[in-house]
Short mmCIF file of all heavy atoms in Angstrom, two decimals:
data_model
loop_
_atom_site.label_atom_id
_atom_site.label_comp_id
_atom_site.label_asym_id
_atom_site.label_seq_id
_atom_site.Cartn_x
_atom_site.Cartn_y
_atom_site.Cartn_z
N MET X 294 -54.43 6.23 -70.84
CA MET X 294 -53.54 6.03 -69.65
C MET X 294 -54.26 6.20 -68.34
O MET X 294 -54.75 7.41 -68.14
CB MET X 294 -52.32 6.88 -69.67
CG MET X 294 -51.37 6.64 -68.60
SD MET X 294 -49.80 7.59 -68.83
CE MET X 294 -49.00 7.31 -67.27
N PRO X 295 -54.45 5.28 -67.48
CA PRO X 295 -55.12 5.50 -66.24
C PRO X 295 -54.37 6.31 -65.28
O PRO X 295 -53.13 6.24 -65.22
CB PRO X 295 -55.37 3.97 -65.74
CG PRO X 295 -54.26 3.30 -66.33
CD PRO X 295 -53.91 3.94 -67.67
N THR X 296 -55.06 7.08 -64.52
CA THR X 296 -54.37 7.99 -63.58
C THR X 296 -53.84 7.05 -62.40
O THR X 296 -54.59 6.33 -61.84
CB THR X 296 -55.43 8.93 -62.94
OG1 THR X 296 -56.20 9.49 -64.04
CG2 THR X 296 -54.78 10.02 -62.30
N PRO X 297 -52.61 7.23 -62.18
CA PRO X 297 -51.97 6.41 -61.07
C PRO X 297 -52.44 6.89 -59.73
O PRO X 297 -51.69 7.72 -59.07
CB PRO X 297 -50.48 6.57 -61.28
CG PRO X 297 -50.31 7.91 -62.00
CD PRO X 297 -51.61 8.19 -62.85
N TYR X 298 -53.43 6.33 -59.27
CA TYR X 298 -53.87 6.54 -57.84
C TYR X 298 -53.02 5.88 -56.89
O TYR X 298 -52.63 4.69 -57.16
CB TYR X 298 -55.34 6.18 -57.67
CG TYR X 298 -56.32 7.27 -58.07
CD1 TYR X 298 -57.10 7.04 -59.21
CD2 TYR X 298 -56.43 8.43 -57.37
CE1 TYR X 298 -58.05 8.01 -59.59
CE2 TYR X 298 -57.32 9.40 -57.72
CZ TYR X 298 -58.14 9.22 -58.78
OH TYR X 298 -59.00 10.09 -59.24
N PRO X 299 -52.66 6.39 -55.83
CA PRO X 299 -51.96 5.67 -54.74
C PRO X 299 -53.01 4.69 -54.13
O PRO X 299 -54.12 5.02 -54.01
CB PRO X 299 -51.54 6.71 -53.73
CG PRO X 299 -52.34 7.92 -53.99
CD PRO X 299 -52.69 7.82 -55.43
N SER X 300 -52.51 3.44 -53.95
CA SER X 300 -53.49 2.49 -53.43
C SER X 300 -53.90 2.79 -52.05
O SER X 300 -53.36 2.60 -51.05
CB SER X 300 -52.68 1.12 -53.39
OG SER X 300 -51.69 1.14 -52.51
N ARG X 301 -55.11 3.41 -51.98
CA ARG X 301 -55.66 3.89 -50.77
C ARG X 301 -56.49 2.82 -50.16
O ARG X 301 -57.49 2.39 -50.75
CB ARG X 301 -56.50 5.15 -50.98
CG ARG X 301 -55.92 6.39 -50.42
CD ARG X 301 -56.93 7.50 -50.46
NE ARG X 301 -56.33 8.66 -51.26
CZ ARG X 301 -57.02 9.72 -51.57
NH1 ARG X 301 -58.29 9.82 -51.20
NH2 ARG X 301 -56.49 10.78 -52.29
N GLN X 302 -56.14 2.31 -49.04
CA GLN X 302 -56.96 1.34 -48.30
C GLN X 302 -57.71 2.03 -47.14
O GLN X 302 -57.10 2.85 -46.46
CB GLN X 302 -56.10 0.23 -47.78
CG GLN X 302 -55.49 -0.58 -48.88
CD GLN X 302 -54.58 -1.61 -48.41
OE1 GLN X 302 -54.09 -1.48 -47.25
NE2 GLN X 302 -54.24 -2.55 -49.19
N SER X 303 -58.94 1.68 -47.03
CA SER X 303 -59.71 2.30 -46.03
C SER X 303 -59.22 1.83 -44.68
O SER X 303 -59.29 0.69 -44.36
CB SER X 303 -61.23 2.02 -46.22
OG SER X 303 -61.36 0.62 -46.02
N VAL X 304 -58.76 2.79 -43.90
CA VAL X 304 -58.18 2.48 -42.64
C VAL X 304 -59.41 2.38 -41.59
O VAL X 304 -60.01 3.39 -41.34
CB VAL X 304 -57.15 3.57 -42.13
CG1 VAL X 304 -56.68 3.18 -40.73
CG2 VAL X 304 -56.05 3.59 -43.01
N SER X 305 -59.56 1.19 -41.10
CA SER X 305 -60.70 1.00 -40.18
C SER X 305 -60.22 1.47 -38.80
O SER X 305 -59.26 0.93 -38.29
CB SER X 305 -61.14 -0.43 -40.08
OG SER X 305 -60.05 -1.23 -39.74
N SER X 306 -60.79 2.54 -38.26
CA SER X 306 -60.37 2.98 -37.05
C SER X 306 -61.10 2.52 -35.83
O SER X 306 -61.96 3.03 -35.21
CB SER X 306 -60.37 4.57 -36.92
OG SER X 306 -61.70 4.89 -37.18
N ASN X 307 -60.88 1.17 -35.55
CA ASN X 307 -61.53 0.62 -34.46
C ASN X 307 -60.70 0.71 -33.19
O ASN X 307 -59.78 -0.11 -33.03
CB ASN X 307 -61.76 -0.91 -34.77
CG ASN X 307 -63.08 -1.11 -35.70
OD1 ASN X 307 -63.86 -0.22 -35.80
ND2 ASN X 307 -63.06 -2.17 -36.40
N CYS X 308 -61.01 1.66 -32.46
CA CYS X 308 -60.25 1.82 -31.24
C CYS X 308 -60.80 1.00 -30.13
O CYS X 308 -61.78 1.33 -29.48
CB CYS X 308 -60.26 3.24 -30.79
SG CYS X 308 -59.02 3.68 -29.59
N THR X 309 -60.28 -0.26 -29.93
CA THR X 309 -60.83 -1.19 -29.05
C THR X 309 -60.16 -1.00 -27.66
O THR X 309 -60.59 -1.66 -26.73
CB THR X 309 -60.76 -2.60 -29.51
OG1 THR X 309 -59.33 -2.81 -29.82
CG2 THR X 309 -61.66 -2.81 -30.74
N ARG X 310 -59.05 -0.28 -27.58
CA ARG X 310 -58.34 -0.23 -26.30
C ARG X 310 -59.06 0.71 -25.37
O ARG X 310 -59.05 1.92 -25.67
CB ARG X 310 -56.92 0.18 -26.48
CG ARG X 310 -56.04 -0.99 -26.99
CD ARG X 310 -54.71 -0.53 -27.24
NE ARG X 310 -54.63 0.44 -28.39
CZ ARG X 310 -53.53 1.06 -28.75
NH1 ARG X 310 -52.35 1.00 -28.07
NH2 ARG X 310 -53.54 1.86 -29.84
N ALA X 311 -59.60 0.30 -24.32
CA ALA X 311 -60.23 1.17 -23.37
C ALA X 311 -59.18 1.74 -22.38
O ALA X 311 -58.38 1.07 -21.75
CB ALA X 311 -61.23 0.38 -22.51
N ALA X 312 -59.14 2.98 -22.28
CA ALA X 312 -58.13 3.63 -21.46
C ALA X 312 -58.49 3.51 -19.85
O ALA X 312 -57.66 3.81 -19.01
CB ALA X 312 -58.00 5.11 -21.76
N THR X 313 -59.59 2.98 -19.66
CA THR X 313 -60.05 2.87 -18.22
C THR X 313 -59.63 1.55 -17.61
O THR X 313 -59.78 1.43 -16.42
CB THR X 313 -61.49 3.04 -18.11
OG1 THR X 313 -62.19 2.11 -18.92
CG2 THR X 313 -61.94 4.49 -18.48
N SER X 314 -59.06 0.63 -18.43
CA SER X 314 -58.85 -0.72 -17.96
C SER X 314 -57.30 -0.90 -17.65
O SER X 314 -56.73 -1.92 -17.76
CB SER X 314 -59.26 -1.79 -18.90
OG SER X 314 -58.56 -1.64 -20.15
N LEU X 315 -56.65 0.14 -17.26
CA LEU X 315 -55.21 0.03 -16.96
C LEU X 315 -55.00 -0.55 -15.49
O LEU X 315 -55.76 -0.32 -14.65
CB LEU X 315 -54.57 1.53 -16.91
CG LEU X 315 -54.44 2.15 -18.28
CD1 LEU X 315 -54.04 3.62 -18.06
CD2 LEU X 315 -53.33 1.40 -19.07
N PRO X 316 -54.04 -1.42 -15.39
CA PRO X 316 -53.88 -2.13 -14.20
C PRO X 316 -53.48 -1.16 -13.05
O PRO X 316 -53.84 -1.22 -11.92
CB PRO X 316 -52.80 -3.06 -14.44
CG PRO X 316 -52.05 -2.60 -15.68
CD PRO X 316 -53.13 -1.90 -16.40
N THR X 317 -52.63 -0.19 -13.37
CA THR X 317 -52.25 0.82 -12.41
C THR X 317 -52.63 2.19 -12.90
O THR X 317 -51.91 2.72 -13.88
CB THR X 317 -50.68 0.76 -12.17
OG1 THR X 317 -50.09 0.79 -13.34
CG2 THR X 317 -50.32 -0.48 -11.39
N PRO X 318 -53.71 2.80 -12.54
CA PRO X 318 -54.03 4.08 -13.04
C PRO X 318 -53.01 5.12 -12.63
O PRO X 318 -52.60 5.16 -11.56
CB PRO X 318 -55.43 4.28 -12.31
CG PRO X 318 -55.31 3.43 -11.06
CD PRO X 318 -54.58 2.20 -11.43
N LEU X 319 -52.76 5.87 -13.62
CA LEU X 319 -51.75 6.93 -13.39
C LEU X 319 -52.46 8.15 -12.80
O LEU X 319 -53.32 8.76 -13.50
CB LEU X 319 -50.99 7.36 -14.72
CG LEU X 319 -50.31 6.17 -15.35
CD1 LEU X 319 -49.69 6.61 -16.66
CD2 LEU X 319 -49.16 5.61 -14.43
N GLY X 320 -52.08 8.52 -11.69
CA GLY X 320 -52.64 9.72 -11.04
C GLY X 320 -51.78 10.87 -11.21
O GLY X 320 -50.87 11.01 -12.10
N HIS X 321 -51.98 11.85 -10.34
CA HIS X 321 -51.21 13.04 -10.30
C HIS X 321 -49.82 12.72 -9.80
O HIS X 321 -49.72 11.99 -8.80
CB HIS X 321 -51.88 14.09 -9.55
CG HIS X 321 -53.25 14.52 -10.14
ND1 HIS X 321 -53.39 15.32 -11.26
CD2 HIS X 321 -54.51 14.23 -9.76
CE1 HIS X 321 -54.67 15.46 -11.62
NE2 HIS X 321 -55.36 14.78 -10.68
N GLU X 322 -48.84 13.33 -10.25
CA GLU X 322 -47.52 13.16 -9.77
C GLU X 322 -47.29 13.80 -8.38
O GLU X 322 -47.73 14.90 -8.19
CB GLU X 322 -46.46 13.63 -10.74
CG GLU X 322 -46.47 12.91 -12.05
CD GLU X 322 -45.47 13.32 -13.04
OE1 GLU X 322 -45.06 14.51 -12.86
OE2 GLU X 322 -45.04 12.67 -13.97
N TRP X 323 -46.68 13.02 -7.60
CA TRP X 323 -46.29 13.51 -6.15
C TRP X 323 -44.78 13.82 -6.18
O TRP X 323 -44.04 12.80 -6.34
CB TRP X 323 -46.66 12.46 -5.14
CG TRP X 323 -46.33 12.86 -3.75
CD1 TRP X 323 -46.19 14.26 -3.28
CD2 TRP X 323 -45.91 12.02 -2.63
NE1 TRP X 323 -45.80 14.07 -1.94
CE2 TRP X 323 -45.58 12.84 -1.58
CE3 TRP X 323 -45.81 10.62 -2.61
CZ2 TRP X 323 -45.18 12.25 -0.35
CZ3 TRP X 323 -45.37 10.10 -1.41
CH2 TRP X 323 -45.11 10.97 -0.28
N ARG X 324 -44.42 14.98 -6.24
CA ARG X 324 -43.06 15.36 -6.29
C ARG X 324 -42.46 15.96 -5.03
O ARG X 324 -43.26 16.62 -4.28
CB ARG X 324 -42.82 16.35 -7.50
CG ARG X 324 -43.08 15.71 -8.82
CD ARG X 324 -42.70 16.61 -9.99
NE ARG X 324 -42.84 15.86 -11.24
CZ ARG X 324 -41.84 15.19 -11.79
NH1 ARG X 324 -40.64 15.10 -11.16
NH2 ARG X 324 -41.99 14.60 -13.01
N CYS X 325 -41.15 15.84 -4.92
CA CYS X 325 -40.52 16.46 -3.79
C CYS X 325 -40.59 17.98 -3.73
O CYS X 325 -40.48 18.58 -4.86
CB CYS X 325 -38.98 16.02 -3.70
SG CYS X 325 -38.06 16.82 -2.45
N THR X 326 -40.93 18.49 -2.62
CA THR X 326 -41.02 19.97 -2.57
C THR X 326 -39.64 20.67 -2.65
O THR X 326 -39.63 21.79 -2.84
CB THR X 326 -41.79 20.42 -1.36
OG1 THR X 326 -41.12 19.94 -0.16
CG2 THR X 326 -43.20 19.90 -1.35
N GLY X 327 -38.66 19.80 -2.28
CA GLY X 327 -37.32 20.44 -2.27
C GLY X 327 -36.54 20.40 -3.67
O GLY X 327 -36.06 21.44 -4.04
N CYS X 328 -36.57 19.23 -4.31
CA CYS X 328 -35.80 19.12 -5.50
C CYS X 328 -36.68 18.63 -6.69
O CYS X 328 -36.12 18.38 -7.80
CB CYS X 328 -34.64 18.21 -5.39
SG CYS X 328 -35.13 16.45 -5.00
N ASP X 329 -37.97 18.47 -6.49
CA ASP X 329 -38.86 18.16 -7.60
C ASP X 329 -38.70 16.74 -8.15
O ASP X 329 -39.09 16.43 -9.15
CB ASP X 329 -38.67 19.17 -8.76
CG ASP X 329 -40.06 19.35 -9.46
OD1 ASP X 329 -41.06 19.38 -8.76
OD2 ASP X 329 -40.04 19.50 -10.76
N LYS X 330 -37.98 15.83 -7.40
CA LYS X 330 -37.98 14.42 -7.81
C LYS X 330 -39.33 13.81 -7.59
O LYS X 330 -40.10 14.19 -6.73
CB LYS X 330 -36.99 13.70 -6.87
CG LYS X 330 -35.63 13.57 -7.35
CD LYS X 330 -34.87 12.53 -6.58
CE LYS X 330 -33.40 12.89 -6.41
NZ LYS X 330 -32.75 13.24 -7.66
N LEU X 331 -39.56 12.75 -8.50
CA LEU X 331 -40.82 12.09 -8.45
C LEU X 331 -40.79 11.13 -7.29
O LEU X 331 -39.98 10.27 -7.30
CB LEU X 331 -41.10 11.46 -9.76
CG LEU X 331 -42.41 10.71 -9.99
CD1 LEU X 331 -43.59 11.72 -9.91
CD2 LEU X 331 -42.47 9.92 -11.23
N LEU X 332 -41.77 11.27 -6.37
CA LEU X 332 -41.81 10.33 -5.26
C LEU X 332 -42.86 9.22 -5.43
O LEU X 332 -42.72 8.18 -4.95
CB LEU X 332 -42.23 11.15 -4.05
CG LEU X 332 -41.17 12.32 -3.58
CD1 LEU X 332 -41.80 13.09 -2.46
CD2 LEU X 332 -39.86 11.65 -3.18
N GLY X 333 -43.95 9.65 -6.12
CA GLY X 333 -45.00 8.66 -6.36
C GLY X 333 -46.08 9.29 -7.16
O GLY X 333 -45.90 10.33 -7.73
N ARG X 334 -47.30 8.63 -7.22
CA ARG X 334 -48.40 9.13 -7.86
C ARG X 334 -49.61 9.07 -6.98
O ARG X 334 -49.85 8.03 -6.40
CB ARG X 334 -48.71 8.42 -9.17
CG ARG X 334 -47.58 8.61 -10.23
CD ARG X 334 -47.87 7.82 -11.39
NE ARG X 334 -46.73 7.76 -12.25
CZ ARG X 334 -46.42 8.76 -13.17
NH1 ARG X 334 -47.32 9.71 -13.33
NH2 ARG X 334 -45.43 8.71 -13.92
N ARG X 335 -50.32 10.09 -6.86
CA ARG X 335 -51.59 10.07 -6.17
C ARG X 335 -52.70 9.69 -6.98
O ARG X 335 -52.80 10.15 -8.16
CB ARG X 335 -51.87 11.62 -5.73
CG ARG X 335 -50.83 12.22 -4.86
CD ARG X 335 -51.41 13.55 -4.35
NE ARG X 335 -50.34 14.39 -3.74
CZ ARG X 335 -49.79 15.46 -4.49
NH1 ARG X 335 -50.20 15.72 -5.58
NH2 ARG X 335 -48.83 16.12 -3.92
N SER X 336 -53.48 8.79 -6.54
CA SER X 336 -54.57 8.22 -7.30
C SER X 336 -55.81 8.19 -6.27
O SER X 336 -56.02 7.22 -5.62
CB SER X 336 -54.30 6.94 -7.80
OG SER X 336 -55.45 6.43 -8.50
N GLY X 337 -56.47 9.32 -6.22
CA GLY X 337 -57.62 9.34 -5.36
C GLY X 337 -57.02 9.48 -3.90
O GLY X 337 -56.30 10.35 -3.47
N SER X 338 -57.52 8.44 -3.05
CA SER X 338 -57.10 8.49 -1.66
C SER X 338 -55.86 7.59 -1.43
O SER X 338 -55.51 7.38 -0.34
CB SER X 338 -58.27 7.94 -0.73
OG SER X 338 -58.58 6.66 -1.19
N VAL X 339 -55.30 7.07 -2.46
CA VAL X 339 -54.12 6.25 -2.28
C VAL X 339 -52.84 6.78 -3.08
O VAL X 339 -53.08 7.71 -3.95
CB VAL X 339 -54.29 4.78 -2.74
CG1 VAL X 339 -55.38 4.10 -2.00
CG2 VAL X 339 -54.55 4.73 -4.25
N VAL X 340 -51.69 6.41 -2.64
CA VAL X 340 -50.49 6.89 -3.33
C VAL X 340 -49.73 5.61 -3.83
O VAL X 340 -49.59 4.70 -3.18
CB VAL X 340 -49.58 7.63 -2.41
CG1 VAL X 340 -48.25 8.06 -3.05
CG2 VAL X 340 -50.31 8.92 -1.82
N LEU X 341 -49.37 5.65 -5.11
CA LEU X 341 -48.57 4.61 -5.67
C LEU X 341 -47.21 4.99 -5.71
O LEU X 341 -46.78 6.08 -6.24
CB LEU X 341 -49.15 4.38 -7.18
CG LEU X 341 -50.67 4.08 -7.31
CD1 LEU X 341 -51.00 4.24 -8.77
CD2 LEU X 341 -51.00 2.71 -6.80
N ILE X 342 -46.39 4.15 -5.08
CA ILE X 342 -44.97 4.40 -5.00
C ILE X 342 -44.20 3.31 -5.71
O ILE X 342 -44.44 2.15 -5.43
CB ILE X 342 -44.56 4.41 -3.45
CG1 ILE X 342 -45.44 5.52 -2.70
CG2 ILE X 342 -43.08 4.74 -3.36
CD1 ILE X 342 -45.55 5.22 -1.30
N GLN X 343 -43.25 3.71 -6.53
CA GLN X 343 -42.45 2.71 -7.34
C GLN X 343 -40.98 2.89 -7.01
O GLN X 343 -40.61 4.04 -6.78
CB GLN X 343 -42.71 2.75 -8.79
CG GLN X 343 -43.98 2.28 -9.21
CD GLN X 343 -44.07 2.36 -10.71
OE1 GLN X 343 -43.06 2.12 -11.47
NE2 GLN X 343 -45.29 2.56 -11.18
N PHE X 344 -40.27 1.83 -6.85
CA PHE X 344 -38.87 1.86 -6.75
C PHE X 344 -38.08 1.30 -7.96
O PHE X 344 -38.75 0.61 -8.76
CB PHE X 344 -38.38 1.07 -5.43
CG PHE X 344 -38.87 1.80 -4.19
CD1 PHE X 344 -40.10 1.54 -3.62
CD2 PHE X 344 -38.06 2.70 -3.63
CE1 PHE X 344 -40.37 2.22 -2.43
CE2 PHE X 344 -38.40 3.44 -2.43
CZ PHE X 344 -39.65 3.13 -1.81
N ALA X 345 -36.89 1.69 -8.07
CA ALA X 345 -36.17 1.37 -9.32
C ALA X 345 -36.06 -0.12 -9.54
O ALA X 345 -35.99 -0.61 -10.73
CB ALA X 345 -34.80 1.90 -9.22
N ARG X 346 -36.06 -0.95 -8.54
CA ARG X 346 -35.88 -2.39 -8.72
C ARG X 346 -37.17 -3.06 -8.97
O ARG X 346 -37.30 -4.32 -8.96
CB ARG X 346 -35.26 -3.03 -7.59
CG ARG X 346 -33.76 -2.36 -7.38
CD ARG X 346 -32.82 -3.28 -6.84
NE ARG X 346 -31.49 -2.62 -6.84
CZ ARG X 346 -30.40 -3.37 -6.42
NH1 ARG X 346 -30.53 -4.49 -5.82
NH2 ARG X 346 -29.30 -2.66 -6.38
N GLY X 347 -38.33 -2.39 -9.07
CA GLY X 347 -39.55 -3.00 -9.41
C GLY X 347 -40.54 -3.10 -8.35
O GLY X 347 -41.61 -3.57 -8.53
N HIS X 348 -40.14 -2.85 -7.11
CA HIS X 348 -41.06 -2.82 -6.04
C HIS X 348 -42.17 -1.75 -6.19
O HIS X 348 -41.86 -0.67 -6.67
CB HIS X 348 -40.41 -2.53 -4.67
CG HIS X 348 -39.40 -3.59 -4.26
ND1 HIS X 348 -38.02 -3.44 -4.70
CD2 HIS X 348 -39.50 -4.79 -3.67
CE1 HIS X 348 -37.45 -4.51 -4.27
NE2 HIS X 348 -38.27 -5.34 -3.66
N GLN X 349 -43.34 -2.05 -5.97
CA GLN X 349 -44.37 -1.17 -5.98
C GLN X 349 -45.19 -1.16 -4.74
O GLN X 349 -45.48 -2.23 -4.15
CB GLN X 349 -45.34 -1.46 -7.12
CG GLN X 349 -44.78 -1.20 -8.51
CD GLN X 349 -45.77 -1.34 -9.66
OE1 GLN X 349 -46.93 -1.15 -9.42
NE2 GLN X 349 -45.31 -1.67 -10.77
N TYR X 350 -45.57 -0.09 -4.17
CA TYR X 350 -46.36 0.05 -2.96
C TYR X 350 -47.58 0.89 -3.25
O TYR X 350 -47.51 1.88 -4.14
CB TYR X 350 -45.53 0.71 -1.83
CG TYR X 350 -44.36 -0.10 -1.49
CD1 TYR X 350 -43.12 0.07 -2.11
CD2 TYR X 350 -44.48 -0.99 -0.39
CE1 TYR X 350 -42.09 -0.72 -1.79
CE2 TYR X 350 -43.37 -1.73 -0.03
CZ TYR X 350 -42.15 -1.70 -0.66
OH TYR X 350 -41.11 -2.40 -0.31
N ARG X 351 -48.66 0.55 -2.59
CA ARG X 351 -49.86 1.33 -2.73
C ARG X 351 -50.25 1.64 -1.30
O ARG X 351 -50.60 0.67 -0.56
CB ARG X 351 -50.91 0.52 -3.44
CG ARG X 351 -52.09 1.19 -4.03
CD ARG X 351 -52.75 0.39 -5.01
NE ARG X 351 -54.15 0.79 -5.10
CZ ARG X 351 -55.11 0.20 -4.47
NH1 ARG X 351 -54.81 -0.83 -3.50
NH2 ARG X 351 -56.33 0.58 -4.54
N ALA X 352 -50.27 2.83 -0.89
CA ALA X 352 -50.57 3.15 0.52
C ALA X 352 -51.65 4.22 0.55
O ALA X 352 -51.68 5.15 -0.21
CB ALA X 352 -49.28 3.79 1.06
N PRO X 353 -52.56 4.10 1.53
CA PRO X 353 -53.63 5.10 1.74
C PRO X 353 -52.92 6.37 2.31
O PRO X 353 -52.01 6.39 3.06
CB PRO X 353 -54.54 4.49 2.72
CG PRO X 353 -53.68 3.50 3.56
CD PRO X 353 -52.62 3.02 2.50
N ARG X 354 -53.55 7.47 1.89
CA ARG X 354 -53.09 8.70 2.37
C ARG X 354 -53.55 9.02 3.73
O ARG X 354 -54.65 8.52 4.14
CB ARG X 354 -53.47 9.84 1.43
CG ARG X 354 -52.81 9.83 0.06
CD ARG X 354 -53.45 10.62 -1.01
NE ARG X 354 -53.18 11.96 -0.71
CZ ARG X 354 -53.58 13.04 -1.52
NH1 ARG X 354 -54.35 12.73 -2.55
NH2 ARG X 354 -53.24 14.23 -1.26
N PRO X 355 -52.89 9.77 4.56
CA PRO X 355 -51.70 10.60 4.29
C PRO X 355 -50.46 9.75 4.27
O PRO X 355 -50.34 8.76 4.96
CB PRO X 355 -51.68 11.65 5.40
CG PRO X 355 -52.37 10.97 6.48
CD PRO X 355 -53.40 10.12 5.85
N VAL X 356 -49.41 10.03 3.45
CA VAL X 356 -48.18 9.41 3.35
C VAL X 356 -47.04 10.34 3.51
O VAL X 356 -47.12 11.44 2.98
CB VAL X 356 -48.08 8.72 1.96
CG1 VAL X 356 -46.70 8.13 1.76
CG2 VAL X 356 -49.10 7.59 1.81
N SER X 357 -46.05 9.95 4.28
CA SER X 357 -44.91 10.78 4.44
C SER X 357 -43.70 10.00 3.81
O SER X 357 -43.58 8.79 3.82
CB SER X 357 -44.56 10.93 5.87
OG SER X 357 -45.69 11.63 6.55
N ALA X 358 -42.74 10.85 3.24
CA ALA X 358 -41.64 10.15 2.52
C ALA X 358 -40.49 11.20 2.61
O ALA X 358 -40.64 12.36 2.56
CB ALA X 358 -41.90 9.83 1.15
N VAL X 359 -39.33 10.56 2.95
CA VAL X 359 -38.09 11.38 2.90
C VAL X 359 -37.40 11.27 1.54
O VAL X 359 -37.22 10.10 1.08
CB VAL X 359 -37.16 11.08 4.05
CG1 VAL X 359 -35.88 11.78 3.94
CG2 VAL X 359 -37.83 11.18 5.37
N CYS X 360 -37.22 12.40 0.91
CA CYS X 360 -36.63 12.35 -0.51
C CYS X 360 -35.23 11.79 -0.37
O CYS X 360 -34.43 12.05 0.54
CB CYS X 360 -36.60 13.72 -1.05
SG CYS X 360 -35.76 13.85 -2.60
N ARG X 361 -34.89 10.98 -1.31
CA ARG X 361 -33.58 10.36 -1.31
C ARG X 361 -32.50 11.29 -1.87
O ARG X 361 -31.26 11.16 -1.65
CB ARG X 361 -33.50 9.10 -2.18
CG ARG X 361 -33.68 9.35 -3.66
CD ARG X 361 -33.68 8.09 -4.50
NE ARG X 361 -34.20 8.22 -5.84
CZ ARG X 361 -33.39 8.27 -6.88
NH1 ARG X 361 -32.12 8.29 -6.74
NH2 ARG X 361 -33.90 8.52 -8.11
N GLY X 362 -33.03 12.43 -2.55
CA GLY X 362 -32.00 13.27 -3.09
C GLY X 362 -31.57 14.36 -2.05
O GLY X 362 -30.47 14.61 -1.74
N CYS X 363 -32.60 15.06 -1.56
CA CYS X 363 -32.37 16.25 -0.71
C CYS X 363 -32.81 16.05 0.72
O CYS X 363 -32.69 17.00 1.54
CB CYS X 363 -33.02 17.45 -1.34
SG CYS X 363 -34.78 17.42 -1.21
N LYS X 364 -33.38 14.84 1.07
CA LYS X 364 -33.75 14.48 2.48
C LYS X 364 -34.85 15.38 2.95
O LYS X 364 -35.03 15.54 4.26
CB LYS X 364 -32.60 14.57 3.43
CG LYS X 364 -31.32 13.86 2.93
CD LYS X 364 -31.47 12.46 2.70
CE LYS X 364 -30.17 11.71 2.27
NZ LYS X 364 -30.43 10.41 1.71
N THR X 365 -35.63 15.89 2.13
CA THR X 365 -36.75 16.69 2.58
C THR X 365 -37.97 15.82 2.90
O THR X 365 -38.16 14.86 2.24
CB THR X 365 -37.16 17.74 1.44
OG1 THR X 365 -36.11 18.59 1.21
CG2 THR X 365 -38.34 18.52 1.86
N LEU X 366 -38.63 16.10 4.06
CA LEU X 366 -39.74 15.33 4.48
C LEU X 366 -40.99 15.82 3.76
O LEU X 366 -41.34 16.96 3.79
CB LEU X 366 -39.99 15.44 6.02
CG LEU X 366 -41.23 14.68 6.41
CD1 LEU X 366 -41.08 13.17 6.26
CD2 LEU X 366 -41.54 15.05 7.94
N ASN X 367 -41.51 14.91 2.90
CA ASN X 367 -42.73 15.30 2.14
C ASN X 367 -43.95 14.61 2.60
O ASN X 367 -43.86 13.43 3.05
CB ASN X 367 -42.52 14.93 0.61
CG ASN X 367 -41.42 15.70 -0.05
OD1 ASN X 367 -41.63 16.83 -0.63
ND2 ASN X 367 -40.22 15.26 0.02
N GLU X 368 -45.05 15.19 2.55
CA GLU X 368 -46.34 14.63 2.96
C GLU X 368 -47.39 14.91 1.95
O GLU X 368 -47.35 15.94 1.36
CB GLU X 368 -46.69 15.16 4.45
CG GLU X 368 -45.83 14.71 5.49
CD GLU X 368 -46.31 15.20 6.82
OE1 GLU X 368 -47.51 15.11 7.08
OE2 GLU X 368 -45.55 15.65 7.65
N THR X 369 -48.19 13.91 1.79
CA THR X 369 -49.26 14.12 0.84
C THR X 369 -50.54 13.35 1.37
O THR X 369 -50.48 12.62 2.21
CB THR X 369 -48.93 13.50 -0.60
OG1 THR X 369 -49.97 13.81 -1.43
CG2 THR X 369 -48.86 12.00 -0.52
ZN1 ZN S 245 -35.85 16.11 -2.94
#
């Protein structure tokens, strides 16, 4: 009686996805100093700002924003 081996297939681990080719690089999170809401993401010298309806802005720093939750003026 042959030993019932589970059909082991050699998993080829070809990781072809390069993490550096993202269209929008995720930087450090820029959060409100008052209530910790996410305002945008810092990516080097620019800030990426996204809105709920799909608008995206990319602005050079420094950037000021008033939080929609607690109205605190944040600068980065
Ligand atoms: Zn806030």
Side-chain angles (χ1 to χ4, degrees):
M294 183 173 171
T296 316
Y298 274 110
S300 64
R301 249 190 238 175
Q302 292 176 340
S303 63
V304 179
S305 61
S306 61
N307 282 337
C308 195
T309 54
R310 279 177 296 173
T313 53
S314 63
L315 288 170
T317 51
L319 299 178
H321 299 284
E322 293 182 339
W323 176 32
R324 289 186 176 273
C325 173
T326 55
C328 67
D329 213 37
K330 263 195 215 312
L331 184 64
L332 299 171
R334 287 175 195 279
R335 299 188 195 102
S336 179
S338 61
V339 297
V340 176
L341 304 166
I342 304 153
Q343 286 186 33
F344 288 90
R346 302 213 173 178
H348 298 91
Q349 288 188 27
Y350 296 86
R351 198 163 152 270
R354 292 167 76 180
V356 171
S357 301
V359 175
C360 175
R361 69 182 166 98
C363 68
K364 312 298 184 197
T365 300
L366 178 64
N367 294 271
E368 290 184 43
T369 185

